[in-house]
Amino acid sequence: MPLSEHEQRLLEQMERALYAEDPKFASALEGTGLRTYTRRKVYLAAAGFVVGVGLLMGGMVAQYIWVGVVGFLVMLGCAVLAVTWWRRGPAGQGAGPRTAPAPRRKAGVMDRMEQRWQRRRDEHNGL
């Protein structure tokens, strides 16, 4: 779900304040964002997929069926992981907006923080 204009302005203000307060810390955080982390995981899954293709082909050439099966399973697992990580990535990355939200199993830390942020925003708008 994209941020509203008000939320974007607040986020920009917080970013400017962070840069003004501690530019060294802010620049250190800039390179290790969620987007970089997600991209790295997807690249690792793609590399695993290539290894799986190699195992599959090697098993076919050497006529070891079990090596080919292992290669196929590695390919399948890495493809599933890559797609999953890509879709759960940050906004603006991946297959686009989802039409229906995924069912939530348990409220995690990020969910609780999002709920608190929503409550604060609602209280601020209600005043």
Side-chain angles (χ1 to χ4, degrees):
M1 177 177 203
L3 297 175
S4 69
E5 290 180 30
H6 177 69
E7 291 171 334
Q8 288 176 351
R9 282 193 306 265
L10 285 174
L11 184 59
E12 289 172 5
Q13 288 174 355
M14 288 189 288
E15 286 176 357
R16 282 194 300 266
L18 178 62
Y19 275 106
E21 195 172 297
D22 194 355
K24 187 176 179 182
F25 178 68
S27 64
L29 287 179
E30 193 173 83
T32 60
L34 183 60
R35 186 168 301 204
T36 304
Y37 179 70
T38 302
R39 189 178 301 135
R40 186 178 304 136
K41 287 184 355 181
V42 170
Y43 287 157
L44 284 174
F49 186 86
V50 170
V51 169
V53 169
L55 284 172
L56 179 66
M57 296 307 226
M60 289 174 54
V61 169
Q63 295 183 351
Y64 289 124
I65 301 285
W66 65 272
V67 175
V69 170
V70 168
F72 177 76
L73 292 175
V74 168
M75 286 172 44
L76 182 64
C78 288
V80 168
L81 285 175
V83 169
T84 302
W85 288 335
W86 186 263
R87 286 190 176 185
R88 289 186 184 171
Q93 181 181 5
R98 289 182 157 169
T99 55
R104 301 203 179 221
R105 287 173 270 152
K106 191 163 102 173
V109 173
M110 292 304 291
D111 293 330
R112 289 193 305 265
M113 287 176 61
E114 187 176 347
Q115 289 171 356
R116 287 181 192 156
W117 178 262
Q118 186 70 28
R119 268 187 275 143
R120 288 180 187 150
R121 193 181 73 177
D122 292 342
E123 289 173 6
H124 178 70
N125 289 338
L127 293 176

